[in-house]
Amino acid sequence: MSAEVADREALSCSRPCTPPQASWFEFLLDPSLLEQHLQGPHPDPSPVQLIVQFLEQASKPSVNEQNQVQPPADNRRNRTLKLMALKAAAHLTWDLKELEKGLTIPVLNMLLNELLCVSRVPPGVKHVDLDLSTLPPTTAMAVLVYNRWAIRTIVLSSFPEKQTKPGPHQLNMMSLVQQEKELTENILSVLREQATDSITVLEGALNIKKDFYIHTLRTLDLLAADPSTANGETESSTAGLRISADHLHCQVHYDLGGIYFQQGCSDPSVYEKAREHFRMARELLTKLDSSASLCCVDEQRLAGYWSACKTLTGASDPSESQHSPYGQISCFMRNHDYGALIEAFIRDNVTFILPNSFRHSIQLELLHKLQQGDRALEEVCHKLCVCNAVRDALEGGVLSVSFHQLLLKPSKNTISFLLEVCARSMDKEHSSETCKRKMALFIKTVCNRLEDVSLAFMVSSHKLFMELLQDEEKKILMEQMRKSSATVNLSAKPLPSFYDIPASASVNISQLEQQLILSLDPRHIRQILIELQGMAERPFWRVNSKWEVPVDYVNVILAIKDNLTRDLVYILMAKGLHCISIKDFAHARQLFTACLELVTEFSPKLRQVMLNELLLMEVRGHEAGAAEGNMERPPPDLVSRVRGYLEIRIHDLPLRQIVGEECVVFMLNWRENEYLTLQVPQSLVNSNPYIKLGQLIASTCKELPGPKESRRTAKELWEVVVQICSVSSQHKRSSDGRVSLLKQRESSLGILPRIGTIMGKSYFCGLIDVFFISISQDDIVNEVTAEHISIWPSSLANLQSVDVEAVVITLKELVNYALSLNPNNQSWLCTQADIYFVSSQYSAAMHYYLQAGTVCSDYFTKPVPPDVYTDQVAVLCQFLREVDYMTAFKALQEQNSHDSMDSFYGYIWDVTILEYLTYIHHKRGEGDKRQVAIKAIGQTELNSSNPEEVLQLAAQKRKKKFLQALAKLYF
């Protein structure tokens, strides 16, 4: 053997080999392999997967010689498969939580019925008629396991669950999915009918104090070997796995509490029973070994149930209230002891015991009472808001909107309380450095948000502030405070601060630097720089790290040889840009004008740069005025300068991208369509992508809805947007493997939401449509409506290349901004509703659907146009031109719905739907609901023999009342 071959063989031997997955028929050929497989560390297939495979094979129908489908044969093969399924479940010690997680309701129903069969539960006898105390241990336990599963399944099926929408590749599976769904509904119907019996069986088991036994692999093997001889042993008290009475009672109390809690929705008095069962489950759980695998109670859910029951029943446990934080909070709320409540929240900022969601729910509850007219709670709500904001900051979370609103006009007492909470929320001995930095960041945020400088100084002079912030942070704080208030005269004498110290040479420099940071007077800035240059030779444009100029200009400015001129140009531009960002256009104009005069003397390039920045300032200033209601058109000189910038061609001149974007947006906003569509040079369109995009938007929206021959520009705009939103192979992937183009296309997509401050409706219709339709075939928006769909191409050549994330974000921004300008636009409201609907935010979706109907029907006093409401549930299905009976009947079949449908039967005017309701309730045995439907159908005005005018009047009356009732729930 050659050395190369030997090395190759040694390498192949050293590689780990993954064993092939075992198949179900291997266990059928050799049943002894099953236990060996299950005892492995990570069996593959898992026990749950094996149960599915075994029962699937055992339940396959057979075909006879006449090619007729027959039920599964009762032969040795199928009996062995069913027994192996039971053995896999026994390996899991019949843990219902584990079985429910991996098995569907039909499969688990089949498994447990097989357990009843092998455990010799008398067939044909109701479980409620059995005396469990006289049955063999394994038989009694099989009955209990089945009935526990029955009520657990009823509870689980009542939880809302979003239906998965199959894609095109899944259509061939729809029939199988529908069959399984119907089978599941049939099983649930039977379980609900037998719910009372199951509860009775389980409550009876609580009276049995002896231990129970359940089948194991051994007892099942004995049954398989010889059922007749094994019968005595498996029925004896020593066979099977022993389950102590306490273990079983704990499980049963928990399951009974769950079913009673679920029934409490219709009968609140039942919550008392649920509370008592949960109390017993908690007591038993404390007695049991927490490491035992036989008691699989979800302790976290049990704690939630227990807390909810106490709240719903109004019960209190004095001993628990002294020890449980939840109990204390509930006691404070019941007794209106809000002072103690606030103290508890402050203490919790150190201990972090109460979940943040719980704390905010308390705040919302009191805020609701305040809105109901209890004005005494206003200060309490403010203090709770502060406590929760400090907690959010310490957890690194986002500060709430209510806290930001509170900081808009806070009182001195509010700020004083905030500082007290901050100080008491810091455990100085044990607080980590991370916690201290988070608190420091929170205090800085508060300073930046406060418009009243005296209040900001109150924060900056606090002891905690001195200890947590670094010296450099303290030094630039005054600049940060100035950012939050453009109305403060910052060129006046600087405020006293923490670094006012006795005079010396170094202190004089520090004081001058502080004045340099605060001053907005160009002459004053120049004089300060002259003094500083005489005291020290260093670049003073670095004094404030917040001074920033665009990277396009940095090299040109820093190339200035004279130090004083370089510092002055840099600082004037940085301060001017900052003033524009806070809309202080008066100071920005002073600073830019002074800078322009300075650079004109020595640099034509910088002169043009400053002219461009002055133009950007004028454009933003004019549009800021328009946003505030000043609809005066811009002066011709400004429009001419914008055109000049767009056509500028100076070699080696640094141009900022944002200036070009803002100029295009300006032309669109002021409807300079003639220039964009006809006068702009073609060479400029070809070389400047922003002008190209602006021209296409203007041309397309100008022609909406437009004849067929005008669709050429629409197609061009489509292609440009698709290109902007497409994933290029050259783009790098992020660390998680996803391609994200948001940063690369930030400017191209960023133009669009800024358009529309003054422009008409057609612009937004076009923009929303093109972004909607560009991904209209993707699952995310395949149910979103928009106007003017017909002018766009009907398909994409390469849908996979579209970055859906970027498109959806832009679409949402467009619709939100459009509605901020025109909140009563029916089409945009419907689009917003559709976006929320496909995002599973159903309450918000319904809000906007109703708002769309409201604005076009004068609060439903007039008929809602038929194109507003599409395929909604049963009642709304009547609103279509042709009643959508298929969707209506499907909605009415849903037993797990949460739409309060039963209370709206009186608003249904379509007799066919009412007849179907009567039938479906009769089929389910729901007598009360059937009577409601019969009462609705029995109204004389709905008689089909009535004249058409009477029927139409009845329909309109119900439409109006229904929509108004629904609107009251959401507005």
Side-chain angles (χ1 to χ4, degrees), residues 139-164:
T139 305
M141 193 62 187
V143 172
L144 293 178
V145 169
Y146 178 85
N147 285 279
R148 281 186 54 224
W149 169 75
I151 65 172
R152 288 168 65 96
T153 303
I154 294 171
V155 173
L156 290 175
S157 67
S158 68
F159 296 159
E161 182 177 310
K162 181 181 178 181
Q163 299 295 324
T164 56

PDB file of all heavy atoms in Angstrom, residues 139-164:
ATOM      1  N   THR A 139     -55.861   1.101  34.240  1.00  0.00           N
ATOM      2  CA  THR A 139     -57.111   1.456  33.556  1.00  0.00           C
ATOM      3  C   THR A 139     -57.605   2.825  34.016  1.00  0.00           C
ATOM      4  O   THR A 139     -57.973   3.687  33.204  1.00  0.00           O
ATOM      5  CB  THR A 139     -58.191   0.391  33.823  1.00  0.00           C
ATOM      6  OG1 THR A 139     -57.692  -0.886  33.435  1.00  0.00           O
ATOM      7  CG2 THR A 139     -59.462   0.701  33.052  1.00  0.00           C
ATOM      8  N   ALA A 140     -57.622   3.033  35.325  1.00  0.00           N
ATOM      9  CA  ALA A 140     -58.070   4.323  35.867  1.00  0.00           C
ATOM     10  C   ALA A 140     -57.167   5.456  35.374  1.00  0.00           C
ATOM     11  O   ALA A 140     -57.643   6.545  35.029  1.00  0.00           O
ATOM     12  CB  ALA A 140     -58.069   4.265  37.389  1.00  0.00           C
ATOM     13  N   MET A 141     -55.857   5.186  35.311  1.00  0.00           N
ATOM     14  CA  MET A 141     -54.932   6.227  34.882  1.00  0.00           C
ATOM     15  C   MET A 141     -55.131   6.578  33.408  1.00  0.00           C
ATOM     16  O   MET A 141     -55.021   7.752  33.011  1.00  0.00           O
ATOM     17  CB  MET A 141     -53.494   5.768  35.126  1.00  0.00           C
ATOM     18  CG  MET A 141     -52.477   6.897  35.018  1.00  0.00           C
ATOM     19  SD  MET A 141     -52.781   8.170  36.268  1.00  0.00           S
ATOM     20  CE  MET A 141     -51.602   9.398  35.764  1.00  0.00           C
ATOM     21  N   ALA A 142     -55.437   5.578  32.578  1.00  0.00           N
ATOM     22  CA  ALA A 142     -55.694   5.844  31.165  1.00  0.00           C
ATOM     23  C   ALA A 142     -56.908   6.753  31.003  1.00  0.00           C
ATOM     24  O   ALA A 142     -56.910   7.681  30.178  1.00  0.00           O
ATOM     25  CB  ALA A 142     -55.903   4.533  30.409  1.00  0.00           C
ATOM     26  N   VAL A 143     -57.949   6.531  31.799  1.00  0.00           N
ATOM     27  CA  VAL A 143     -59.144   7.378  31.758  1.00  0.00           C
ATOM     28  C   VAL A 143     -58.789   8.816  32.146  1.00  0.00           C
ATOM     29  O   VAL A 143     -59.238   9.787  31.515  1.00  0.00           O
ATOM     30  CB  VAL A 143     -60.238   6.819  32.680  1.00  0.00           C
ATOM     31  CG1 VAL A 143     -61.408   7.792  32.793  1.00  0.00           C
ATOM     32  CG2 VAL A 143     -60.712   5.464  32.170  1.00  0.00           C
ATOM     33  N   LEU A 144     -57.972   8.948  33.190  1.00  0.00           N
ATOM     34  CA  LEU A 144     -57.601  10.293  33.650  1.00  0.00           C
ATOM     35  C   LEU A 144     -56.733  11.016  32.621  1.00  0.00           C
ATOM     36  O   LEU A 144     -56.898  12.224  32.389  1.00  0.00           O
ATOM     37  CB  LEU A 144     -56.870  10.195  34.985  1.00  0.00           C
ATOM     38  CG  LEU A 144     -57.717   9.716  36.171  1.00  0.00           C
ATOM     39  CD1 LEU A 144     -56.866   9.605  37.423  1.00  0.00           C
ATOM     40  CD2 LEU A 144     -58.890  10.665  36.412  1.00  0.00           C
ATOM     41  N   VAL A 145     -55.783  10.305  32.010  1.00  0.00           N
ATOM     42  CA  VAL A 145     -54.923  10.934  31.001  1.00  0.00           C
ATOM     43  C   VAL A 145     -55.767  11.439  29.842  1.00  0.00           C
ATOM     44  O   VAL A 145     -55.575  12.563  29.351  1.00  0.00           O
ATOM     45  CB  VAL A 145     -53.847   9.950  30.496  1.00  0.00           C
ATOM     46  CG1 VAL A 145     -53.125  10.502  29.270  1.00  0.00           C
ATOM     47  CG2 VAL A 145     -52.843   9.656  31.598  1.00  0.00           C
ATOM     48  N   TYR A 146     -56.725  10.610  29.391  1.00  0.00           N
ATOM     49  CA  TYR A 146     -57.572  11.018  28.265  1.00  0.00           C
ATOM     50  C   TYR A 146     -58.396  12.261  28.615  1.00  0.00           C
ATOM     51  O   TYR A 146     -58.483  13.210  27.823  1.00  0.00           O
ATOM     52  CB  TYR A 146     -58.503   9.877  27.852  1.00  0.00           C
ATOM     53  CG  TYR A 146     -59.432  10.262  26.721  1.00  0.00           C
ATOM     54  CD1 TYR A 146     -59.025  10.175  25.398  1.00  0.00           C
ATOM     55  CD2 TYR A 146     -60.716  10.749  26.993  1.00  0.00           C
ATOM     56  CE1 TYR A 146     -59.862  10.554  24.366  1.00  0.00           C
ATOM     57  CE2 TYR A 146     -61.563  11.135  25.963  1.00  0.00           C
ATOM     58  CZ  TYR A 146     -61.135  11.038  24.651  1.00  0.00           C
ATOM     59  OH  TYR A 146     -61.968  11.427  23.631  1.00  0.00           O
ATOM     60  N   ASN A 147     -58.999  12.287  29.784  1.00  0.00           N
ATOM     61  CA  ASN A 147     -59.870  13.413  30.138  1.00  0.00           C
ATOM     62  C   ASN A 147     -59.072  14.674  30.461  1.00  0.00           C
ATOM     63  O   ASN A 147     -59.552  15.783  30.230  1.00  0.00           O
ATOM     64  CB  ASN A 147     -60.779  13.027  31.305  1.00  0.00           C
ATOM     65  CG  ASN A 147     -61.898  12.098  30.871  1.00  0.00           C
ATOM     66  OD1 ASN A 147     -62.909  12.523  30.342  1.00  0.00           O
ATOM     67  ND2 ASN A 147     -61.712  10.794  31.075  1.00  0.00           N
ATOM     68  N   ARG A 148     -57.870  14.476  30.987  1.00  0.00           N
ATOM     69  CA  ARG A 148     -56.991  15.651  31.156  1.00  0.00           C
ATOM     70  C   ARG A 148     -56.676  16.256  29.796  1.00  0.00           C
ATOM     71  O   ARG A 148     -56.722  17.473  29.605  1.00  0.00           O
ATOM     72  CB  ARG A 148     -55.689  15.260  31.860  1.00  0.00           C
ATOM     73  CG  ARG A 148     -55.791  15.108  33.364  1.00  0.00           C
ATOM     74  CD  ARG A 148     -54.419  14.869  33.961  1.00  0.00           C
ATOM     75  NE  ARG A 148     -53.482  15.897  33.566  1.00  0.00           N
ATOM     76  CZ  ARG A 148     -52.230  15.670  33.168  1.00  0.00           C
ATOM     77  NH1 ARG A 148     -51.759  14.434  33.117  1.00  0.00           N
ATOM     78  NH2 ARG A 148     -51.454  16.669  32.821  1.00  0.00           N
ATOM     79  N   TRP A 149     -56.329  15.399  28.842  1.00  0.00           N
ATOM     80  CA  TRP A 149     -56.033  15.900  27.500  1.00  0.00           C
ATOM     81  C   TRP A 149     -57.251  16.587  26.880  1.00  0.00           C
ATOM     82  O   TRP A 149     -57.123  17.614  26.198  1.00  0.00           O
ATOM     83  CB  TRP A 149     -55.582  14.745  26.599  1.00  0.00           C
ATOM     84  CG  TRP A 149     -55.525  15.143  25.159  1.00  0.00           C
ATOM     85  CD1 TRP A 149     -54.589  15.912  24.545  1.00  0.00           C
ATOM     86  CD2 TRP A 149     -56.490  14.809  24.146  1.00  0.00           C
ATOM     87  NE1 TRP A 149     -54.897  16.069  23.212  1.00  0.00           N
ATOM     88  CE2 TRP A 149     -56.062  15.403  22.939  1.00  0.00           C
ATOM     89  CE3 TRP A 149     -57.660  14.050  24.147  1.00  0.00           C
ATOM     90  CZ2 TRP A 149     -56.763  15.271  21.750  1.00  0.00           C
ATOM     91  CZ3 TRP A 149     -58.369  13.920  22.955  1.00  0.00           C
ATOM     92  CH2 TRP A 149     -57.923  14.521  21.774  1.00  0.00           C
ATOM     93  N   ALA A 150     -58.430  16.052  27.139  1.00  0.00           N
ATOM     94  CA  ALA A 150     -59.655  16.610  26.549  1.00  0.00           C
ATOM     95  C   ALA A 150     -59.853  18.065  26.966  1.00  0.00           C
ATOM     96  O   ALA A 150     -60.072  18.946  26.123  1.00  0.00           O
ATOM     97  CB  ALA A 150     -60.862  15.763  26.942  1.00  0.00           C
ATOM     98  N   ILE A 151     -59.757  18.355  28.254  1.00  0.00           N
ATOM     99  CA  ILE A 151     -60.015  19.733  28.686  1.00  0.00           C
ATOM    100  C   ILE A 151     -58.828  20.645  28.369  1.00  0.00           C
ATOM    101  O   ILE A 151     -59.001  21.841  28.110  1.00  0.00           O
ATOM    102  CB  ILE A 151     -60.381  19.794  30.183  1.00  0.00           C
ATOM    103  CG1 ILE A 151     -59.210  19.361  31.071  1.00  0.00           C
ATOM    104  CG2 ILE A 151     -61.613  18.972  30.477  1.00  0.00           C
ATOM    105  CD1 ILE A 151     -59.478  19.596  32.548  1.00  0.00           C
ATOM    106  N   ARG A 152     -57.618  20.092  28.368  1.00  0.00           N
ATOM    107  CA  ARG A 152     -56.454  20.907  27.965  1.00  0.00           C
ATOM    108  C   ARG A 152     -56.591  21.318  26.501  1.00  0.00           C
ATOM    109  O   ARG A 152     -56.272  22.451  26.128  1.00  0.00           O
ATOM    110  CB  ARG A 152     -55.164  20.123  28.172  1.00  0.00           C
ATOM    111  CG  ARG A 152     -54.752  19.946  29.623  1.00  0.00           C
ATOM    112  CD  ARG A 152     -53.648  18.922  29.739  1.00  0.00           C
ATOM    113  NE  ARG A 152     -52.430  19.362  29.083  1.00  0.00           N
ATOM    114  CZ  ARG A 152     -51.400  19.964  29.698  1.00  0.00           C
ATOM    115  NH1 ARG A 152     -51.467  20.191  30.998  1.00  0.00           N
ATOM    116  NH2 ARG A 152     -50.327  20.328  29.032  1.00  0.00           N
ATOM    117  N   THR A 153     -57.063  20.414  25.662  1.00  0.00           N
ATOM    118  CA  THR A 153     -57.223  20.709  24.235  1.00  0.00           C
ATOM    119  C   THR A 153     -58.297  21.762  24.016  1.00  0.00           C
ATOM    120  O   THR A 153     -58.165  22.641  23.155  1.00  0.00           O
ATOM    121  CB  THR A 153     -57.564  19.418  23.468  1.00  0.00           C
ATOM    122  OG1 THR A 153     -56.528  18.461  23.695  1.00  0.00           O
ATOM    123  CG2 THR A 153     -57.687  19.690  21.980  1.00  0.00           C
ATOM    124  N   ILE A 154     -59.367  21.701  24.793  1.00  0.00           N
ATOM    125  CA  ILE A 154     -60.419  22.725  24.689  1.00  0.00           C
ATOM    126  C   ILE A 154     -59.843  24.093  25.022  1.00  0.00           C
ATOM    127  O   ILE A 154     -60.120  25.093  24.333  1.00  0.00           O
ATOM    128  CB  ILE A 154     -61.593  22.386  25.624  1.00  0.00           C
ATOM    129  CG1 ILE A 154     -62.287  21.101  25.165  1.00  0.00           C
ATOM    130  CG2 ILE A 154     -62.588  23.541  25.692  1.00  0.00           C
ATOM    131  CD1 ILE A 154     -63.320  20.576  26.132  1.00  0.00           C
ATOM    132  N   VAL A 155     -59.035  24.159  26.062  1.00  0.00           N
ATOM    133  CA  VAL A 155     -58.438  25.432  26.465  1.00  0.00           C
ATOM    134  C   VAL A 155     -57.467  25.936  25.391  1.00  0.00           C
ATOM    135  O   VAL A 155     -57.517  27.101  24.975  1.00  0.00           O
ATOM    136  CB  VAL A 155     -57.706  25.286  27.821  1.00  0.00           C
ATOM    137  CG1 VAL A 155     -56.935  26.561  28.152  1.00  0.00           C
ATOM    138  CG2 VAL A 155     -58.709  24.971  28.927  1.00  0.00           C
ATOM    139  N   LEU A 156     -56.594  25.060  24.915  1.00  0.00           N
ATOM    140  CA  LEU A 156     -55.601  25.472  23.924  1.00  0.00           C
ATOM    141  C   LEU A 156     -56.258  25.909  22.619  1.00  0.00           C
ATOM    142  O   LEU A 156     -55.787  26.844  21.962  1.00  0.00           O
ATOM    143  CB  LEU A 156     -54.617  24.326  23.654  1.00  0.00           C
ATOM    144  CG  LEU A 156     -53.645  23.989  24.792  1.00  0.00           C
ATOM    145  CD1 LEU A 156     -52.826  22.758  24.437  1.00  0.00           C
ATOM    146  CD2 LEU A 156     -52.718  25.161  25.081  1.00  0.00           C
ATOM    147  N   SER A 157     -57.341  25.259  22.240  1.00  0.00           N
ATOM    148  CA  SER A 157     -58.010  25.604  20.985  1.00  0.00           C
ATOM    149  C   SER A 157     -58.717  26.948  21.059  1.00  0.00           C
ATOM    150  O   SER A 157     -59.087  27.513  20.031  1.00  0.00           O
ATOM    151  CB  SER A 157     -59.020  24.523  20.610  1.00  0.00           C
ATOM    152  OG  SER A 157     -60.095  24.495  21.543  1.00  0.00           O
ATOM    153  N   SER A 158     -58.920  27.478  22.265  1.00  0.00           N
ATOM    154  CA  SER A 158     -59.584  28.777  22.410  1.00  0.00           C
ATOM    155  C   SER A 158     -58.632  29.939  22.228  1.00  0.00           C
ATOM    156  O   SER A 158     -59.065  31.079  22.110  1.00  0.00           O
ATOM    157  CB  SER A 158     -60.244  28.873  23.799  1.00  0.00           C
ATOM    158  OG  SER A 158     -59.251  28.935  24.816  1.00  0.00           O
ATOM    159  N   PHE A 159     -57.325  29.674  22.198  1.00  0.00           N
ATOM    160  CA  PHE A 159     -56.359  30.755  22.016  1.00  0.00           C
ATOM    161  C   PHE A 159     -56.363  31.218  20.564  1.00  0.00           C
ATOM    162  O   PHE A 159     -56.465  30.391  19.655  1.00  0.00           O
ATOM    163  CB  PHE A 159     -54.941  30.301  22.391  1.00  0.00           C
ATOM    164  CG  PHE A 159     -54.787  29.947  23.851  1.00  0.00           C
ATOM    165  CD1 PHE A 159     -53.751  29.141  24.277  1.00  0.00           C
ATOM    166  CD2 PHE A 159     -55.671  30.430  24.790  1.00  0.00           C
ATOM    167  CE1 PHE A 159     -53.599  28.814  25.606  1.00  0.00           C
ATOM    168  CE2 PHE A 159     -55.543  30.114  26.130  1.00  0.00           C
ATOM    169  CZ  PHE A 159     -54.504  29.305  26.541  1.00  0.00           C
ATOM    170  N   PRO A 160     -56.242  32.527  20.317  1.00  0.00           N
ATOM    171  CA  PRO A 160     -56.204  33.004  18.923  1.00  0.00           C
ATOM    172  C   PRO A 160     -54.992  32.430  18.206  1.00  0.00           C
ATOM    173  O   PRO A 160     -53.911  32.287  18.773  1.00  0.00           O
ATOM    174  CB  PRO A 160     -56.073  34.526  19.084  1.00  0.00           C
ATOM    175  CG  PRO A 160     -56.468  34.820  20.485  1.00  0.00           C
ATOM    176  CD  PRO A 160     -56.148  33.607  21.292  1.00  0.00           C
ATOM    177  N   GLU A 161     -55.201  32.098  16.955  1.00  0.00           N
ATOM    178  CA  GLU A 161     -54.116  31.535  16.161  1.00  0.00           C
ATOM    179  C   GLU A 161     -54.254  32.021  14.740  1.00  0.00           C
ATOM    180  O   GLU A 161     -55.297  31.859  14.106  1.00  0.00           O
ATOM    181  CB  GLU A 161     -54.179  30.005  16.197  1.00  0.00           C
ATOM    182  CG  GLU A 161     -53.053  29.333  15.433  1.00  0.00           C
ATOM    183  CD  GLU A 161     -53.105  27.821  15.550  1.00  0.00           C
ATOM    184  OE1 GLU A 161     -53.216  27.317  16.693  1.00  0.00           O
ATOM    185  OE2 GLU A 161     -53.073  27.151  14.522  1.00  0.00           O
ATOM    186  N   LYS A 162     -53.200  32.655  14.219  1.00  0.00           N
ATOM    187  CA  LYS A 162     -53.237  33.159  12.849  1.00  0.00           C
ATOM    188  C   LYS A 162     -53.158  32.000  11.872  1.00  0.00           C
ATOM    189  O   LYS A 162     -52.296  31.150  11.984  1.00  0.00           O
ATOM    190  CB  LYS A 162     -52.074  34.128  12.603  1.00  0.00           C
ATOM    191  CG  LYS A 162     -52.059  34.705  11.193  1.00  0.00           C
ATOM    192  CD  LYS A 162     -50.893  35.627  10.995  1.00  0.00           C
ATOM    193  CE  LYS A 162     -50.853  36.152   9.568  1.00  0.00           C
ATOM    194  NZ  LYS A 162     -49.700  37.041   9.329  1.00  0.00           N
ATOM    195  N   GLN A 163     -54.092  32.011  10.915  1.00  0.00           N
ATOM    196  CA  GLN A 163     -54.091  30.959   9.915  1.00  0.00           C
ATOM    197  C   GLN A 163     -52.980  31.195   8.920  1.00  0.00           C
ATOM    198  O   GLN A 163     -52.827  32.292   8.386  1.00  0.00           O
ATOM    199  CB  GLN A 163     -55.445  30.931   9.181  1.00  0.00           C
ATOM    200  CG  GLN A 163     -56.623  30.653  10.098  1.00  0.00           C
ATOM    201  CD  GLN A 163     -56.556  29.266  10.710  1.00  0.00           C
ATOM    202  OE1 GLN A 163     -56.128  28.319  10.075  1.00  0.00           O
ATOM    203  NE2 GLN A 163     -56.969  29.149  11.960  1.00  0.00           N
ATOM    204  N   THR A 164     -52.173  30.179   8.655  1.00  0.00           N
ATOM    205  CA  THR A 164     -51.102  30.316   7.678  1.00  0.00           C
ATOM    206  C   THR A 164     -51.687  30.321   6.282  1.00  0.00           C
ATOM    207  O   THR A 164     -52.572  29.535   5.961  1.00  0.00           O
ATOM    208  CB  THR A 164     -50.100  29.152   7.794  1.00  0.00           C
ATOM    209  OG1 THR A 164     -50.822  27.931   7.658  1.00  0.00           O
ATOM    210  CG2 THR A 164     -49.407  29.186   9.148  1.00  0.00           C
TER     211      THR A 164
END
